[in-house]
Amino acid sequence: MPDPSTSILRQVTGVRSGESDVELSIAARPAGTVGRMPGYLTGESLAEQGIETTLPNLPELELPPADPHPYAVRISWVAPDTVRITVAPPGAGVLADDGTWLGVVTDPGAANVPVTVADTGRAVVVESAALRVSIDRERFALRLDDVATGAEILRTAERLRQAAGLPVAPPVLANRDGITLNLELGPGEDILGFGEQFGRLVKNGQRLVLRCEDALGTGTGLAYKPVPVWHSSAGYTGFVNTGAVVTADVGHSMPSVFGLTVADDALDLYVVGGGGPRERLRSYTALTGRATVPPLWAFGYWMGRCRYHSREEMLDVASRARELGVPLDVLHCDPDWLVVDRLNCDFIWNEERFGNRRQFVEDLAALHTRLSVWELPYLDPASPRFAEAESKGYLVRRADGELAEIDKTPAPDGRPRMLVDFTNPDAVAWWQEMHEEFLADGVAVFKTDFGEGLPDGTTPHGGLPGHHAHNLYPLYYNGAVWDAVARTTGRSALVWGRSGWAGSQRYPGQWGGDAESTVAGMQATLRGGLSYAMSAPGFWSHDIGGFYGPELTPELYVRWTQFGAMSPLMRAHGLRPREPWRFGDRALEICRRWIRLRYELLPYLWQVAHESARNGWPVLRPLAFEYPDDPVAAGIDGQFMLGSELLVVPVFDDGDPAVRRRFYVPAGRWTDVLTDETVEGPAFLTREVPLERIPVLARDGAILPRVPVDGHVRRTDDLIGRPWTLHVYGDGDVADRELTGFDGHSTRVTVSGGTVTAEGSQPVSGRARRSGMSS
């Protein structure tokens, strides 16, 4: 029997045109299935549905009711290359909204994008300067073409049917689960993205449920930072503007169908077409925000442990780093700084363990180290501040009016923990004021841990629908803290966040959560970062050594440190000690070299950071981002680009012997910056890699500014004012390259015949060196 809740959008019954939008009235038909047969049946005639009545074994078909009910589809342009397609019941608020109501979209785009509308009687065609949307009137099929090339870049899956002619993937299907858009996967089409997913970078064959979870690792199939943004190699980027759970079935259930189900009665889809991932991410982040460049010290080496238990312990770590010549910018303190410290944060400083807070910060500063402190957005009823938060309405409540308790995250003592309501401006101000006291004492940064625990069925203060609240909670939480830091300090702000959603890139940075201390954990971590880069581009990092598990060997710690030294941000952290001297003299020596190499490369990383912030690009990049036309690049998820110039090949191994590492180099000539070996691509190469190094290759044409680092460099502050040396790779001259100095001012450099001329505030050496880097 047909499910009365299921319907298929079928015919266009009306068209209303505006200046930059078109609203279509749609007849949706009740639909059902035929026994266990795949496919859907409506009440229309068999001929209208395309049913193959001559099929010998066609069963008796019981047609659903034929009476249609209305839906609306609005097609609007926010930029010539960006179309918004909104499907909802008539009169739904989202049809009239400019896209900003959830707080994911921050800039609704241009008010009037020139478009043309043509109604041929068979199809409605809406066209901007860049994209053409065609909607078939009789069967509500939708196609999107690139105007410049004429190429089809997206189409719904109405052509896909089973033997009896029943459609298996109607373009838009609505039922109790929400609303589903079915797209046809083209031959060779790859889908990448969907946030920090720890599986393979190409998502074809996977079914992903986009719901923020305390994933408890990188191997559970859950995600801390899912993002409803993806890239298609057919030439578009998609973004679902929602907080509701999204299920992305990328050829998993049906090999040629990409199905998107939103647990809502509306679908609000943005499609950016034309160009490559660079151009499309620039357009996407124009809508949802871009990261600002964190302070220079954020790019230095961080260390932490879960947990340091006292000021003496942390001061000893900072002192030991100085004694051993390990540069260190930030030392992180997990929850022991609190009095009530188990899944609770009330900003009551534990003086018994850490003494006076300002004095502790000053003592660390005397050792040239800044302080990072942990937090989460949950309150324990045992906290002295719980009663205040409850009485003033600062905590999230359920639909029945009772306080909401955190969901799924295990609590050590069984007591419930409640959540701060970041839709309540007064609650946000209260939370931010408590940060201000810490910032006034010199605390540098907050690790915004957790945030995935908002249960379903809540009624947030701001009127946000409950089914949107869970996934949006991390965005609001991290935004509140980031804003507090920015406003209080007057500098570019930084958090160290674990949970996230669409738009989280505007609150740098994020880290990859609690990876296991295994080779598999390290590999999954990189895959998560590459996937996140395509959806929330900015400043992402990870815990060097992994967070948990007894399996971490000195050799795996070294390999992970090498990966971390080439990452956007660099932090060693875990349940057990992660200081490099804890892994033996050899590991210390190798790790110290790589930490110093990172500091040498900070002038280059500083350029990448500014480029990324300007354009809405990731710092750590999949090869598919830089080489979208390379048919091999999309499937490469064991290596990465650091900016446009450096190809980094981590080694996933936990043993001492040299490893035979196979990796891919794209087209062109590449030089290993550690060995000076030159190779030609495109090609797969195999090299024997000792523990002391990994392949790091510069492409021809690269110009890498470096700063000398010796045993006197204790932190990034010591690099300011030191002259940079330019390393130029390739035979050609590099002219008129603009570099951003550590002071934020520009210096224009010209390289000609190996001679460097520079104009600006940053001192640059007079000779360009085309050579490998010292290790």
Side-chain angles (χ1 to χ4, degrees), residues 208 229 309 324 505 765:
L208 305 169
V229 174
H309 299 295
L324 296 172
Q505 73 276 352
S765 66

Side-chain angles (χ1 to χ4, degrees), residues 104-348:
V104 178
V105 172
T106 56
D107 184 344
N112 294 301
V113 177
V115 299
T116 60
V117 181
D119 189 344
T120 68
R122 295 187 59 184
V124 179
V125 181
V126 191
E127 184 173 319
S128 73
L131 298 176
R132 180 185 307 113
V133 179
S134 303
I135 304 100
D136 188 295
R137 271 182 163 275
E138 286 305 309
R139 51 183 182 168
F140 187 66
L142 185 146
R143 191 180 76 243
L144 189 64
D145 298 325
D146 185 311
V147 169
T149 65
E152 175 185 284
I153 58 177
L154 175 153
R155 71 171 302 140
T156 49
E158 71 283 345
R159 297 189 299 187
L160 303 180
R161 294 172 176 257
Q162 45 91 298
L166 275 67
V168 294
V172 178
L173 181 75
N175 58 24
R176 290 191 178 96
D177 295 329
I179 190 163
T180 297
L181 173 70
N182 287 310
L183 303 175
E184 183 176 333
L185 285 170
E189 181 180 0
D190 290 327
I191 302 295
L192 287 74
F194 292 116
E196 189 187 56
Q197 305 292 337
F198 298 112
R200 298 306 301 259
L201 181 60
V202 173
K203 299 302 186 287
N204 296 55
Q206 301 180 38
R207 181 180 182 273
L208 305 169
V209 178
L210 307 186
R211 177 182 166 89
C212 299
E213 299 282 9
D214 180 353
L216 295 172
T218 55
T220 62
L222 304 176
Y224 302 101
K225 293 179 281 296
V227 180
V229 174
W230 69 94
H231 294 261
S232 166
S233 62
Y236 77 91
T237 293
F239 156 51
V240 180
N241 184 27
T242 187
V245 173
V246 177
T247 301
D249 188 315
V250 190
H252 173 78
S253 300
M254 292 177 280
S256 297
V257 177
F258 172 20
L260 284 160
T261 300
V262 184
D264 192 18
D265 62 358
L267 169 71
D268 194 12
L269 172 68
Y270 289 71
V271 180
V272 184
R278 285 170 166 264
E279 293 77 18
R280 300 198 301 265
L281 276 180
R282 187 186 289 122
S283 294
Y284 164 69
T285 55
L287 295 171
T288 59
R290 295 173 182 157
T292 55
V293 179
L296 178 62
W297 55 259
F299 295 94
Y301 182 48
W302 300 34
M303 282 197 295
R305 193 193 304 167
C306 184
R307 310 177 177 188
Y308 293 127
H309 299 295
S310 67
R311 69 183 300 277
E312 290 76 21
E313 190 175 12
M314 293 185 69
L315 291 171
D316 179 69
V317 169
S319 297
R320 189 79 171 131
R322 301 304 162 225
E323 292 168 9
L324 296 172
V326 177
L328 177 64
D329 268 82
V330 180
L331 199 56
H332 172 71
C333 186
D334 255 13
D336 268 24
W337 68 265
L338 288 150
V339 177
V340 180
D341 65 351
R342 300 286 178 175
L343 284 178
N344 170 75
C345 185
D346 53 17
F347 294 92
I348 298 175

